[in-house]
Amino acid sequence: MEDSKNLIQELLQGMELARQLRIYLNVSSSSNETRELLIEKIISTFEKALEMVNHKGHVNVGESSQQKQKHTLGTVAIRMLDSPPLSSSPRSEDSDKDHNTPRKRNVVPIRWTKQIRVSPGMAVEGPLDDGYSWRKYGQKDILGAIHPRGYYRCTHRNVQGCLATKQVQRSDEDPTIFEITYRGNHTCTMASLNPIENQETNIVNTNPQSFDHEKPEQRLNDLRTSLRVQTENLDFLNQSFAPLNHLPSTSELKFENHVLESSYAESFNSPSYVSPANSGIGHFSVSPNPSGFPNVASDMIPLATSAANTPTTTLDFPFDQFQFDGQNFTFDHTPFFP
DNA sequence: AGAATTTGACCTCT
DNA sequence: AGAGGTCAAATTCT
């Protein structure tokens, strides 16, 4: 029980630090030292939290996909995926670009997945607008899946060399759910802009039935509505962490070979939608390296593992609203974000 | 006409 | 050999 509280505290501290980092990233006068210190603290916080989970052996293995989906519906689930499919895109220009290095392995594409539920009316078209412009370059029937998988790449790939791609797969169980796997960060002009402004200025939404599931403000409100953190396969703690400066968004954290997956589903239609968030964890806006992928050597941030390196951040948070069932802890409808 | 999508072929990995 | 991912010509859309 004590561990659970500590774990929660560490996770909350991580969120708080991330918020601070976001603020600093938006302040041009802030020093690189400040940013790096914050990043270091965030890594340390998450590492300790994950260690706690690992020690308690809260590992969800063998859960069916259906069960997983059930977990994610109406919640935001952050869970560890298995090692990323490095065998993917063998012919992709992602790996072909670097002819001086052995194919794959050296470049670990950032990958994160989210599930999006659309309203039944637009289920036919699928989720369209995520703030970026994509061009479809392929479709494939996937073994065991009813619906084909669509392959998209950034429209600015040729012009700006943006290597971001995504795959869209409709769920078999629920056709209104789309699992979208993103790979790589946007290095195009759009990506260098403030994501919030960027998305707001680029979204042309003429369909009143659709909604901007990926606007940071919406995400934050989703998080406010309900948040469940689910962890599994935490053996990665024995491995090193990858850079945090390529995080696609607050709740989608990629640690080198592992992904913290966030899933948004019913929360998009949550009736508890409130006014747009004006602060909170929002979006990490970071400048990717030219390749669009992490450079492990230069981006790796030393881990601060000693307790002395972790400042005690006072968080005004009602812990009694937490529910911890041994595997998940939830805090529903808790307005703890300022 | 140019942009975007479709779709069969091809490539790589397991 | 089969599956997944990408290419590129053909087709469709704007």
Side-chain angles (χ1 to χ4, degrees):
Chain A
M1 190 58 195
E2 189 65 26
D3 279 352
S4 298
K5 277 193 174 182
N6 290 337
L7 170 60
I8 291 164
Q9 184 118 26
E10 289 297 330
L11 288 170
L12 287 170
Q13 185 173 322
M15 285 194 291
E16 176 64 22
L17 289 168
R19 284 184 49 214
Q20 291 180 31
L21 177 61
R22 176 172 171 264
I23 293 170
Y24 276 113
L25 286 173
N26 288 331
V27 178
S28 56
S29 59
S30 64
S31 66
N32 287 334
E33 288 83 349
T34 304
R35 298 173 186 177
E36 287 176 12
L37 181 64
L38 282 170
I39 291 171
E40 198 168 315
K41 288 176 181 176
I42 292 169
I43 294 173
S44 173
T45 297
F46 279 113
E47 187 203 21
K48 287 202 290 186
L50 291 168
E51 272 180 5
M52 292 176 193
V53 174
N54 201 32
H55 284 152
K56 295 208 74 171
H58 294 144
V59 179
N60 267 341
V61 187
E63 192 180 28
S64 73
S65 61
Q66 217 163 358
Q67 286 172 312
K68 285 178 181 174
Q69 190 170 78
K70 185 179 158 193
H71 275 307
T72 62
L73 293 181
T75 67
V76 174
I78 304 174
R79 76 167 189 265
M80 299 301 171
L81 295 179
D82 293 325
S83 298
L86 296 176
S87 60
S88 63
S89 47
R91 283 180 58 200
S92 75
E93 294 163 31
D94 300 11
S95 52
D96 291 348
K97 279 268 193 283
D98 190 359
H99 294 288
N100 296 326
T101 57
R103 190 164 270 219
K104 69 175 187 177
R105 304 309 177 213
N106 273 4
V107 176
V108 181
I110 293 178
R111 194 185 81 130
W112 67 100
T113 303
K114 68 173 143 194
Q115 293 176 340
I116 290 181
R117 165 169 286 177
V118 301
S119 57
M122 66 177 291
V124 176
E125 310 147 46
L128 299 175
D129 197 344
D130 60 5
Y132 292 104
S133 59
W134 302 95
R135 168 174 291 190
K136 190 173 187 176
Y137 66 88
Q139 179 167 301
K140 192 78 176 178
D141 288 324
I142 301 302
L143 190 72
I146 298 172
H147 304 101
R149 178 177 299 167
Y151 299 87
Y152 300 81
R153 64 166 59 108
C154 180
T155 302
H156 308 104
R157 186 186 189 93
N158 294 331
V159 180
Q160 300 183 35
C162 182
L163 299 178
T165 64
K166 74 171 180 180
Q167 300 176 2
V168 177
Q169 175 79 60
R170 179 179 290 194
S171 168
D172 289 345
E173 289 86 4
D174 187 345
T176 66
I177 291 179
F178 290 81
E179 185 163 300
I180 305 178
T181 300
Y182 293 90
R183 283 181 180 163
N185 281 323
H186 284 273
T187 57
C188 54
T189 306
M190 294 176 70
S192 65
L193 300 171
N194 182 322
I196 296 174
E197 297 171 8
N198 174 39
Q199 297 203 11
E200 283 181 344
T201 53
N202 283 286
I203 287 172
V204 180
N205 188 356
T206 55
N207 180 2
Q209 224 181 350
S210 70
F211 34 80
D212 304 324
H213 0 62
E214 306 187 28
K215 279 188 178 180
E217 298 92 335
Q218 179 68 57
R219 289 179 177 179
L220 183 57
N221 286 321
D222 297 339
L223 285 168
R224 279 178 163 155
T225 302
S226 64
L227 173 62
R228 168 174 293 176
V229 177
Q230 176 185 335
T231 60
E232 57 185 276
N233 300 333
L234 294 177
D235 56 322
F236 76 102
L237 284 169
N238 293 327
Q239 304 177 26
S240 57
F241 284 101
L244 278 175
N245 62 339
H246 297 278
L247 299 179
S249 80
T250 299
S251 53
E252 299 156 358
L253 307 180
K254 170 70 172 63
F255 293 104
E256 198 170 54
N257 286 348
H258 295 271
V259 176
L260 289 177
E261 174 183 337
S262 71
S263 301
Y264 304 85
E266 286 175 343
S267 54
F268 297 135
N269 294 321
S270 171
S272 60
Y273 179 85
V274 293
S275 61
N278 48 24
S279 64
I281 52 182
H283 221 93
F284 281 102
S285 176
V286 292
S287 53
N289 61 30
S291 72
F293 295 118
N295 179 324
V296 174
S298 63
D299 292 350
M300 185 66 78
I301 299 164
L303 295 177
T305 53
S306 74
N309 286 333
T310 305
T312 53
T313 303
T314 302
L315 293 172
D316 184 13
F317 184 80
F319 283 99
D320 54 349
Q321 294 189 40
F322 255 107
Q323 295 172 20
F324 190 77
D325 63 10
Q327 288 187 334
N328 306 302
F329 54 87
T330 61
F331 43 106
D332 293 334
H333 305 281
T334 303
F336 72 97
F337 292 110

